[in-house]
Amino acid sequence: MVDLLVIGAGLAGLTAAWHAAKAGLTVKVIAKGMGVTHWHAGTIDVLGYDSTGKGVARPLDALDDLPPEHPYRLLGQERLSAGLTDFASLTAELGLPYSGARTNGDNLWLPSPVGAARPTFLAPAGQAAGDLSTGQPLLVVGVEGMRDFYPKLIAENLAKQGHTARHAFLPLSLFTPRHDVTTLQLAKLVEEPSRLTQLAEALTRLVKSGERIGLPAILGFEDHPAVLARLSEATGAPVFEIPTLPPSVPGIRLHTRLRRKLEAMSVRVEIGMEAISFGAEGERISWVETETSSRPLKHRAANFLLATGGILGGGINSDHTGRAWEVIFDLPLTIPPDRSGWFRPHFLDGGGQPVFRGGVPVNENFQPIHPDGAPVYANLWAAGGTLAGADPIRERSVEGIAVGTGRIAYSVLRR
């Protein structure tokens, strides 16, 4: 039996496992799948847009404008700031340092895969040089034949927003003789010394004085920092990555190094373990059972952390009758019971869709609670996209909520 069983291997679950293991607890992580790290841009978005859709300049100063049930309001600025600081320290240990561009707490504004200005609070070193607020001209470089990255579109959209930007292409043959290759395969190919030298020489011929170079997020996998440094040194220009459509190389880099770190801390991360039932004695959960190829397997722990995601992540399910339920513990939810209240008439309504604000309600210690405020179980906590009160995709707060609430693993030490 372990001290803490984390259910979910996304950013919230892995962050929680790291905090708990660092505090001296024995920890195990089980999950049905990998979580959203393989799909998101690899940045930490804290709060990009307010309820009116207006961009937020300083996220930590805007928390009081959020509803009282929002996870950030429950965390408070101090605990959220501590979680972000701890995450930055962790990524430095992992060899993938994250940073913000300014010391006053402003969001960075980075180019999106279509050339929009994308707000984020912390970015990998490989993306931070793309901050659009600096005003430095951009050269957006693509690879001919590469799927889902369109430098001409990116440069044109940036120009429409008042940024000086142009585009160029490199031949796919610079990287591989193949005609069909994924972003992850390209990232590994770039690390080969001969191909890295060829790429550096090609970029040097393209870049003009004073420009910075934006490339698709393929600049290495295991040796990403070295690839970035080599290209910047060879070209004499800041080099940065622009996220592509999934799968996300920056997200996979982060996930891979987080798992290795946890394994080095004796934390078992078991993927392919779908939780199907649980057992409880009074107010305390005793075990969670997962499906296997032969027979169900019981996982016993003193404490449990639920980080399975929301209705988009599979932690909450629904059916055609309008019933919605949390898939493991059948916890109370804030999703409207009448399906007609889930959505607004317009698909792209500026206020978002009410169903996505629904989730598991928690107290300030992030224990799931009944409508009367009493904890459902004394040894259960929840984190990340499972939580009620936020619309993370619309707000641009997915990763900030994960990192901030993942830190609540410390709370088990106080029991």
Side-chain angles (χ1 to χ4, degrees), residues 147-216:
R147 293 173 290 179
D148 300 328
F149 188 81
Y150 307 100
K152 185 174 186 291
L153 175 67
I154 295 172
E156 287 178 348
N157 284 338
L158 289 173
K160 290 176 182 177
Q161 298 167 71
H163 304 289
T164 302
R166 65 186 184 94
H167 77 281
F169 282 95
L170 295 174
L172 184 58
S173 59
L174 191 70
F175 304 89
T176 176
R178 296 175 55 183
H179 297 289
D180 187 24
V181 65
T182 68
T183 52
L184 186 57
Q185 289 169 334
L186 282 170
K188 293 179 178 180
L189 287 169
V190 166
E191 293 177 333
E192 297 179 12
S194 60
R195 289 193 169 95
L196 181 56
T197 297
Q198 292 176 27
L199 176 59
E201 292 173 350
L203 292 175
T204 301
R205 290 191 294 268
L206 289 173
V207 69
K208 296 178 181 178
S209 177
E211 288 183 324
R212 49 185 162 164
I213 305 171
L215 289 147

Side-chain angles (χ1 to χ4, degrees), residues 109-121:
W109 291 85
L110 304 177
S112 79
V114 295
R118 178 172 59 90
T120 192
F121 191 75

Side-chain angles (χ1 to χ4, degrees), residues 35 55 62 102 105 117-118 132 135 220 224 250 289 345 374 405 408:
R102 293 170 295 282
R118 178 172 59 90
L132 296 172
H224 167 62
E289 193 170 58
T405 60
I408 63 164

Side-chain angles (χ1 to χ4, degrees), residues 62-364:
L63 302 187
D64 289 343
D65 298 330
L66 297 170
E69 69 275 12
H70 195 287
Y72 285 158
R73 289 290 299 276
L74 296 176
L75 275 171
Q77 187 179 110
E78 183 177 349
R79 289 200 293 180
L80 176 56
S81 296
L84 293 167
T85 299
D86 287 348
F87 179 81
S89 298
L90 169 60
T91 56
E93 289 180 24
L94 299 178
L96 291 174
Y98 277 56
S99 65
R102 293 170 295 282
T103 58
N104 58 8
D106 281 10
N107 268 329
L108 303 169
W109 291 85
L110 304 177
S112 79
V114 295
R118 178 172 59 90
T120 192
F121 191 75
L122 291 174
Q127 295 183 40
D131 185 21
L132 296 172
S133 66
T134 68
Q136 186 177 1
L138 301 99
L139 169 62
V140 182
V141 180
V143 180
E144 292 174 348
M146 179 180 167
R147 293 173 290 179
D148 300 328
F149 188 81
Y150 307 100
K152 185 174 186 291
L153 175 67
I154 295 172
E156 287 178 348
N157 284 338
L158 289 173
K160 290 176 182 177
Q161 298 167 71
H163 304 289
T164 302
R166 65 186 184 94
H167 77 281
F169 282 95
L170 295 174
L172 184 58
S173 59
L174 191 70
F175 304 89
T176 176
R178 296 175 55 183
H179 297 289
D180 187 24
V181 65
T182 68
T183 52
L184 186 57
Q185 289 169 334
L186 282 170
K188 293 179 178 180
L189 287 169
V190 166
E191 293 177 333
E192 297 179 12
S194 60
R195 289 193 169 95
L196 181 56
T197 297
Q198 292 176 27
L199 176 59
E201 292 173 350
L203 292 175
T204 301
R205 290 191 294 268
L206 289 173
V207 69
K208 296 178 181 178
S209 177
E211 288 183 324
R212 49 185 162 164
I213 305 171
L215 289 147
I218 58 170
L219 301 184
F221 187 69
E222 294 291 351
D223 297 322
H224 167 62
V227 170
L228 196 68
R230 171 75 175 88
L231 293 177
S232 295
E233 180 184 4
T235 61
V239 175
F240 66 94
E241 293 186 318
I242 299 174
T244 66
L245 295 181
S248 164
V249 171
I252 297 173
R253 284 186 199 123
L254 177 60
H255 179 91
T256 300
R257 296 206 181 192
L258 267 173
R259 284 192 62 177
R260 288 176 185 168
K261 178 69 173 179
L262 291 174
E263 290 166 2
M265 299 171 78
S266 300
V267 176
R268 293 174 60 188
V269 180
E270 300 180 354
I271 305 299
M273 293 281 185
E274 181 178 5
I276 55 174
S277 63
F278 74 101
E281 296 179 6
E283 297 181 348
R284 298 186 69 84
I285 297 168
S286 302
W287 49 263
V288 166
E289 193 170 58
T290 57
E291 190 72 88
T292 69
S293 58
S294 55
R295 60 183 180 181
L297 176 65
K298 284 185 172 65
H299 306 264
R300 300 183 182 276
N303 301 282
F304 297 81
L305 180 77
L306 182 68
T308 49
I311 200 162
L312 294 179
I316 297 171
N317 207 345
S318 64
D319 61 24
H320 68 283
T321 68
R323 174 175 169 256
W325 64 95
E326 187 275 313
V327 299
I328 300 175
F329 304 106
D330 197 22
L331 298 170
L333 297 175
T334 61
I335 294 174
D338 185 347
R339 192 164 178 253
S340 64
W342 288 10
F343 304 102
R344 292 188 169 92
H346 297 291
F347 179 68
L348 296 178
D349 192 292
Q353 306 298 337
V355 69
F356 296 130
R357 298 193 71 84
V360 175
V362 294
N363 59 22
E364 64 180 9

Side-chain angles (χ1 to χ4, degrees), residues 4 15-27 261-262 265-267 409:
L4 177 67
T15 301
W18 174 71
H19 278 295
K22 188 178 178 182
L25 300 181
T26 56
V27 186
K261 178 69 173 179
L262 291 174
M265 299 171 78
S266 300
V267 176

